[in-house]
Amino acid sequence: MSSNDNNGYKPIAIEGKWQTRWEEEGTNSLSADLLERGENPYYNLMMFPYPSAEGLHVGNIYAFTGADVHGRFQQLAGHTVFEPIGFDAFGIHSENFALKQGVHPMDLIPSNVANFTRQLKRMGGMFDWDHTVDTTDPTYYRWTQWIFIQLFKAGLAVRKEAPVNWCPSCMTVLSNEQVIGGRCERCDTPVEQRNIAQWFFRITQYSQRLLDGLKNIDWSETTKKAQENWIGRSEGAILHFPILPEEQRGNSFDGMSKDELFSATKDLKNIEVFTTRPDTVFGATYIVLSPEHPIVKDITSSQQAKTIKAYQEQTAKLDLVARQKTEKAKTGVFTGGYALNPANGTAIPIWISDYVLMGYGTGAIMAVPGHDQRDFDFAKTMDLPIRQVVRSPKTSENNITDLLEAYVGDGVLINSQAFDGLPVQEAKKKICEWLKDIGLASVHIGYRLHDWCISRQRYWGPPIPIIHCDECGPVPVPEKDLPIVLPRVEDFKPDDSGVSPLARMEEWYITVCPECGTTARRETDVSDTFLDSSWYFLRYPSSDSETAPFDSDITSKWLPVDCYIGGNEHAVLHLLYSRFITMALHDIGHIHFQEPFVRFRAHGLIIREGAKMSKSKGNVIIPDQVIEKYGADTFRTYLMFLGPFDEGGDYQDEGIQGPHGFLHRVWETATEALQNDSVEKNAVVERKLHQTIQQVTEQLPRLRYNTSIAALMEYLNVVRSKGRVPQKSEVEPLIVMIAPFAPHLAEDLWESFGHSESIFSGMNWPQYEPDKAREDNVEIAIQINGKLRGTITVETDIDKNSAEKIARAEKNIARYLDTAMVKRVVYVPNRLVNFVVESNNA
RNA sequence: GCCGAGGUGGCGAAAUGGUAUACGCAGGGGACUUAAAAUCCCCCGGGAGAAAUCCCAUGCGGGUUCGAGUCCCGCCCUCGGCACCA
């Protein structure tokens, strides 16, 4: 079935007509006046796309359609809906593509944006084209730079030298989030470590708030969980292990009292370790430091110095993939130093090993080989003592033998002096308190979250607005001098130097210090793309403003965002950064809310014929072709019909016939109904109509699009059942209800039904009346011992006795009850009668 | 290994603890037509039976309940995310 070959529904013509009209009449654009008034506002947001050269892919269209259906429904329900779209066009993605094609990104991006714009208009979204953003436009990134400066002034942007992930292929620093299993997210190259001075946003200061905030926002559970895991809070303690000076090696601290131990150790330097298992401290038989730990040089004995140095160098050379391989055998070196176990005063050796990471906790651990698998493996390899201090409740006391693996489960303490017999949970508290008393412990909460490195040694991004002055240090560019425009550089290829291509342009980076006027140097790194996208939703409603990133009146009316729809691949990247930037701007006093997105829903993924789509398999759906053949309305409706929106679906090429045929039938039914405007109502149709309105009205806001469309199909089947003649009043509500899915068709039929205004111009969503949705009769099930044995049709809400009487009279039921004794009758109104019987045959 | 989602006809999928398989695709039969397309009508989980009707079926094994796709316990498999995070 091809669309334009019959003289009925002609989607291509209808869609062209309405897209032109919407544009001419500004149907979807909010005027400055409307934005300022902000009456009954609804901010409907979707994740803006990266404008690739290939054009929109189905995943984009799926996400945008789902969001657009929601926006259109809210509009029909009476809201003033603001539904903007824009382009996230900075970043490595664009840059690498430009390099490959030999085109300058400044030439490439505009043509990609133009193509995306054409496609987005063609799919019929109600986008406000008067309020778009393009992150590469200086009028936008001027404010991205402004945000950097605000954070800098608030002490939230700091420059520090740090080991960073370096992709030797992309020749740039990657954030932790961009490293997948030790490899570059983009090109799959193993990532190396490098030490470079970088700008960091101190997102870790917000760890707890970012975690707490999750409780009060209406987000997809999976997304919240991903953020929770990413922030990775763990409660524990920092324990102090006094470093034993060489001259005290021979002394025994074992068996000292609390006071004696305190006075013997109070002048000693400590190694601080973070642990979530302070209860196992009696089982700590050695210490392991990260090879990079600054204290290593102080404790290494002269005999061990050479070996330690060699190991440190070996580790530094290791790329992160090799270092993070869990299955790799444990390696490490003894430093020659000893520390005191603060719990039992035993001197224990201090080792270094690459399985301890500098980036987490204190970069040092107390090793409890009896109760931690990593420590166990290490102890076995290095032949270090293993001491069991927790007994499983399942094991009998005499059964403690050599462990085959660490016991990490619950239990009670043993070999822990005064704490023997305490359950693990209780021991954690008690041991902490005890060590706290003698100054050897503090309660500590650790987070996995790292500071956000925003420096990129690349070309295609907004220059970081900082001037380095030998006298004044890093000085922010005065706000009046923004934007710092990214110059057009023909040779923008990155090199292995670890600095941005901008660092090759002396005429650009030499400047004067805004504070002291001496010659100074601009920062030549650009910022991370995720900074561009961490605030774009603040810009949309204020995109007309030339004097502020976001107008405070408009922002207070339209934000936070009412509904945000996007992919869960951004669960811990974009969505976390956006929350952080929002909180920071709130604290600095620029906005009135702390959470940017009241509601977030992650959509599912579309596969095709049971398989993932990929260019290499050659099975990608080309949206332009589908739209050309069936029209945007059919494509939209089909995508939404595939399955639950948050789960995605399997795109089967033949399946599009269903929704396509449905829209044809709607068109034909409506056209026929125009001739039939009878006042007489058909009871069956009317009842089904009200049931349908109820169902769809309840399901649409919950994004249950597939079942909503099914309900509309059912209704149309009733309207046309046995080829009956449709009435105008039966069809008009259907036109409104399909409008979110098939907006062009709905507009056209709405017009032919005599309306001069756009269907989306008012509160046109139909109301249902519960009385009219009510059935007079219902078919109910009759069960014997829970098994279906017949059905009867009774009046709605009939009482139990009458229902039972009718049920008993049913032929098949009577047969069963003849030979059985009824012990109980369960009656569920309008559902079933269940006879619980005991058989007499026995 | 940990966290999350899921497993239902030939296929995509429905089902507040209450008649499993709605809606759609594919398939079969029929109407209209010179023919095709489009449209319309009917059938369509498996098995037994002439029929009435009965048995089996929601990944597997148990349990709770008058009644379980749905709740509980123990497994298996698939897909996403995290992973030497102390």
Side-chain angles (χ1 to χ4, degrees):
Chain A
M1 169 167 52
S2 172
S3 41
N4 285 339
D5 53 5
N6 63 62
N7 47 18
Y9 173 45
K10 291 180 177 153
I12 306 304
I14 288 177
E15 290 170 11
K17 167 181 161 186
W18 286 97
Q19 284 166 13
T20 305
R21 198 179 294 183
W22 290 334
E23 193 143 353
E24 281 169 3
E25 297 180 0
T27 310
N28 301 317
S29 298
L30 295 192
S31 61
D33 183 46
L34 268 176
L35 275 170
E36 272 159 34
R37 270 194 283 148
E39 278 168 22
N40 203 7
Y42 196 94
Y43 190 165
N44 189 48
L45 183 70
M46 59 203 82
M47 286 181 181
F48 66 165
Y50 151 70
S52 69
E54 291 89 37
L56 279 178
H57 54 83
V58 213
N60 291 134
I61 298 200
Y62 182 66
F64 297 157
T65 301
D68 186 60
V69 167
H70 186 68
R72 289 187 180 277
F73 170 71
Q74 294 296 343
Q75 180 95 4
L76 288 163
H79 283 107
T80 304
V81 172
F82 178 51
E83 186 175 297
I85 191 83
F87 303 98
D88 187 19
F90 262 142
I92 285 186
H93 216 117
S94 312
E95 190 178 312
N96 284 353
F97 186 81
L99 282 168
K100 207 168 128 197
Q101 300 294 309
V103 193
H104 197 280
M106 284 184 178
D107 301 326
L108 179 75
I109 294 300
S111 69
N112 288 357
V113 165
N115 187 39
F116 262 62
T117 304
R118 175 190 64 79
Q119 289 183 304
L120 286 164
K121 287 183 174 172
R122 186 63 192 85
M123 64 162 271
M126 57 176 291
F127 304 119
D128 184 340
W129 289 104
D130 291 341
H131 295 93
T132 63
V133 302
D134 173 346
T135 55
T136 64
D137 188 329
T139 64
Y140 179 84
Y141 69 71
R142 167 189 181 182
W143 301 114
T144 308
Q145 293 170 334
W146 178 88
I147 285 172
F148 179 93
I149 290 169
Q150 307 313 304
L151 266 72
F152 176 83
K153 287 180 176 167
L156 288 170
V158 293
R159 189 169 150 94
K160 54 188 179 189
E161 186 154 311
V164 289
N165 306 299
W166 173 264
C167 173
S169 164
C170 300
M171 292 188 189
T172 189
V173 165
L174 303 174
S175 67
N176 288 323
E177 292 84 342
Q178 288 164 330
V179 180
I180 310 291
R183 288 170 180 269
C184 174
E185 162 191 70
R186 212 167 306 283
C187 65
D188 211 35
T189 307
V191 169
E192 298 171 356
Q193 280 185 80
R194 276 203 180 184
N195 279 307
I196 301 179
Q198 311 280 333
W199 285 99
F200 285 85
F201 281 167
R202 302 174 75 181
I203 190 173
T204 52
Q205 293 204 334
Y206 283 74
S207 302
Q208 192 57 47
R209 271 172 73 186
L210 288 165
L211 201 55
D212 291 341
L214 293 173
K215 289 175 201 137
N216 305 316
I217 48 181
D218 174 18
W219 283 27
S220 295
E221 229 20 73
T222 56
T223 313
K224 289 206 277 189
K225 202 74 198 171
Q227 291 213 349
E228 199 184 306
N229 292 342
W230 190 261
I231 295 167
R233 177 189 155 109
S234 58
E235 292 177 23
I238 288 187
L239 305 185
H240 303 248
F241 282 63
I243 300 167
L244 197 55
E246 273 191 85
E247 62 275 14
Q248 296 211 38
R249 282 285 161 76
N251 301 348
S252 172
F253 297 82
D254 213 342
M256 274 187 180
S257 74
K258 186 165 125 180
D259 289 342
E260 287 165 339
L261 193 63
F262 175 68
S263 59
T265 60
K266 69 178 194 301
D267 294 328
L268 300 180
K269 276 174 115 186
N270 289 320
I271 291 176
E272 300 189 343
V273 306
F274 174 62
T275 179
T276 55
R277 294 293 305 272
D279 55 301
T280 61
V281 64
F282 285 90
T285 53
Y286 60 100
I287 294 267
V288 188
L289 303 178
S290 163
E292 301 92 340
H293 199 292
I295 210 168
V296 174
K297 60 181 184 306
D298 300 331
I299 53 164
T300 303
S301 69
S302 43
Q303 299 99 299
Q304 291 300 97
K306 237 178 152 176
T307 341
I308 289 287
K309 193 154 185 263
Y311 187 78
Q312 284 177 319
E313 279 167 10
Q314 179 198 322
T315 311
K317 260 185 268 160
L318 265 192
D319 60 72
L320 290 171
V321 201
R323 172 132 185 203
Q324 293 192 347
K325 271 249 159 71
T326 32
E327 60 273 23
K328 160 179 90 110
K330 294 279 182 287
T331 60
V333 182
F334 176 45
T335 61
Y338 286 84
L340 284 182
N341 182 319
N344 56 21
T346 312
I348 57 174
I350 304 167
W351 286 64
I352 63 170
S353 171
D354 64 2
Y355 85 91
V356 176
L357 310 171
M358 200 54 223
Y360 186 77
T362 60
I365 60 153
M366 64 172 200
V368 185
H371 305 287
D372 181 287
Q373 192 57 42
R374 297 155 298 184
D375 298 343
F376 181 89
D377 294 341
F378 190 77
K380 281 283 179 199
T381 311
M382 304 300 168
D383 204 20
L384 289 159
I386 299 173
R387 198 164 178 224
Q388 183 171 9
V389 290
V390 178
R391 179 164 44 81
S392 157
K394 288 173 200 155
T395 324
S396 80
E397 196 155 2
N398 302 325
N399 202 15
I400 302 160
T401 51
D402 272 340
L403 294 167
L404 294 172
E405 56 177 9
Y407 175 69
V408 296
D410 218 346
V412 294
L413 296 215
I414 54 170
N415 298 328
S416 301
Q417 299 177 5
F419 302 94
D420 282 357
L422 285 180
V424 162
Q425 281 312 318
E426 207 176 317
K428 276 186 187 173
K429 266 186 239 144
K430 292 252 164 88
I431 290 181
C432 264
E433 279 164 21
W434 174 62
L435 289 173
K436 212 168 145 186
D437 272 358
I438 53 173
L440 292 177
S442 56
V443 172
H444 183 82
I445 295 162
Y447 297 91
R448 210 192 68 107
L449 185 65
H450 286 68
D451 275 336
W452 173 13
C453 177
I454 65 140
S455 296
R456 293 293 179 273
Q457 289 66 43
R458 296 289 292 229
Y459 168 67
W460 193 232
I464 292 173
I466 288 287
I467 292 167
H468 296 284
C469 169
D470 288 341
E471 300 299 317
C472 312
V475 177
V477 170
E479 289 176 22
K480 67 173 169 49
D481 294 342
L482 295 179
I484 301 301
V485 175
L486 178 71
R488 183 170 177 120
V489 180
E490 293 309 328
D491 173 26
F492 59 92
K493 197 171 186 317
D495 58 32
D496 196 38
S497 62
V499 293
S500 157
L502 292 176
R504 290 178 230 144
M505 298 193 65
E506 203 175 295
E507 68 281 14
W508 181 78
Y509 69 71
I510 295 292
T511 184
V512 290
C513 170
E515 303 230 319
C516 69
T518 59
T519 303
R521 194 188 152 100
R522 287 189 192 285
E523 169 72 56
T524 52
D525 283 355
V526 299
S527 58
D528 181 10
T529 331
F530 280 108
L531 181 57
D532 305 329
S533 57
S534 68
W535 75 282
Y536 76 111
F537 49 92
L538 296 172
R539 182 62 182 167
Y540 277 139
S542 301
S543 62
D544 293 330
S545 173
E546 287 172 15
T547 55
F550 29 89
D551 178 280
S552 63
D553 282 349
I554 289 179
T555 302
S556 69
K557 292 204 166 93
W558 287 90
L559 282 131
V561 170
D562 292 287
C563 181
Y564 193 20
I565 285 175
N568 221 15
E569 67 273 18
H570 291 118
V572 292
L573 302 147
H574 161 63
L575 286 170
L576 193 65
Y577 294 148
S578 298
R579 293 181 62 217
F580 161 65
I581 291 292
T582 303
M583 285 180 188
L585 289 173
H586 167 268
D587 292 355
I588 297 167
H590 289 293
I591 48 180
H592 67 283
F593 51 92
Q594 304 204 37
E595 288 289 348
F597 316 122
V598 173
R599 185 172 187 243
F600 171 78
R601 289 294 179 272
H603 63 253
L605 298 176
I606 295 292
I607 56 172
R608 185 185 192 182
E609 311 281 359
K612 263 191 195 164
M613 277 181 274
S614 72
K615 256 188 284 176
S616 55
K617 277 190 221 153
N619 66 342
V620 292
I621 298 157
I622 301 168
D624 283 351
Q625 294 177 354
V626 181
I627 290 175
E628 207 180 313
K629 188 166 177 195
Y630 297 99
D633 282 340
T634 291
F635 193 33
R636 290 168 58 106
T637 307
Y638 181 45
L639 287 173
M640 296 303 101
F641 184 65
L642 285 178
F645 185 60
D646 55 356
E647 285 172 33
D650 187 357
Y651 187 101
Q652 304 185 326
D653 294 359
E654 284 306 312
I656 200 169
Q657 301 300 347
H660 191 53
F662 169 64
L663 296 185
H664 263 283
R665 228 147 85 98
V666 169
W667 192 90
E668 269 150 27
T669 303
T671 308
E672 214 175 308
L674 270 179
Q675 320 304 320
N676 303 293
D677 194 8
S678 152
V679 275
E680 205 124 315
K681 298 265 163 113
N682 176 301
V684 174
V685 174
E686 195 185 19
R687 195 179 307 124
K688 187 68 179 174
L689 172 63
H690 285 269
Q691 289 168 352
T692 304
I693 298 172
Q694 175 170 12
Q695 198 183 347
V696 175
T697 307
E698 283 168 4
Q699 292 188 338
L700 267 191
R702 294 167 50 212
L703 317 185
R704 305 295 302 211
Y705 300 146
N706 56 332
T707 50
S708 295
I709 293 167
L712 296 172
M713 288 172 165
E714 274 189 65
Y715 174 62
L716 184 60
N717 289 346
V718 170
V719 170
R720 300 312 303 269
S721 96
K722 317 265 182 212
R724 70 177 282 281
V725 177
Q727 299 296 314
K728 209 178 157 190
S729 64
E730 297 166 356
V731 180
E732 195 165 288
L734 177 64
I735 294 171
V736 182
M737 288 190 285
I738 60 155
F741 302 102
H744 314 85
L745 172 62
E747 281 278 34
D748 209 55
L749 295 175
W750 185 251
E751 184 188 48
S752 65
F753 269 48
H755 300 278
S756 53
E757 299 259 299
S758 162
I759 192 170
F760 299 105
S761 66
M763 222 202 283
N764 288 319
W765 194 259
Q767 301 291 311
Y768 68 90
E769 295 167 40
D771 285 352
K772 291 188 178 164
R774 191 177 181 275
E775 297 280 355
D776 298 334
N777 297 303
V778 283
E779 191 187 46
I780 67 172
I782 309 165
Q783 300 178 340
I784 307 288
N785 289 341
K787 275 191 189 257
L788 182 71
R789 295 301 179 200
T791 58
I792 54 173
T793 300
V794 297
E795 277 172 48
T796 303
D797 295 332
I798 191 174
D799 65 86
K800 182 179 176 180
N801 287 341
S802 317
E804 189 182 328
K805 209 168 138 192
I806 299 166
R808 281 178 183 277
E810 209 273 338
K811 212 171 70 191
N812 198 38
I813 299 303
R815 191 166 68 85
Y816 276 92
L817 295 184
D818 257 6
T819 58
M821 190 179 70
V822 178
K823 284 163 49 185
R824 190 180 150 195
V825 180
V826 179
Y827 175 59
V828 181
N830 304 324
R831 287 285 178 185
L832 59 79
V833 178
N834 184 17
F835 294 97
V836 184
V837 306
E838 200 166 86
S839 180
N840 283 345
N841 348 320

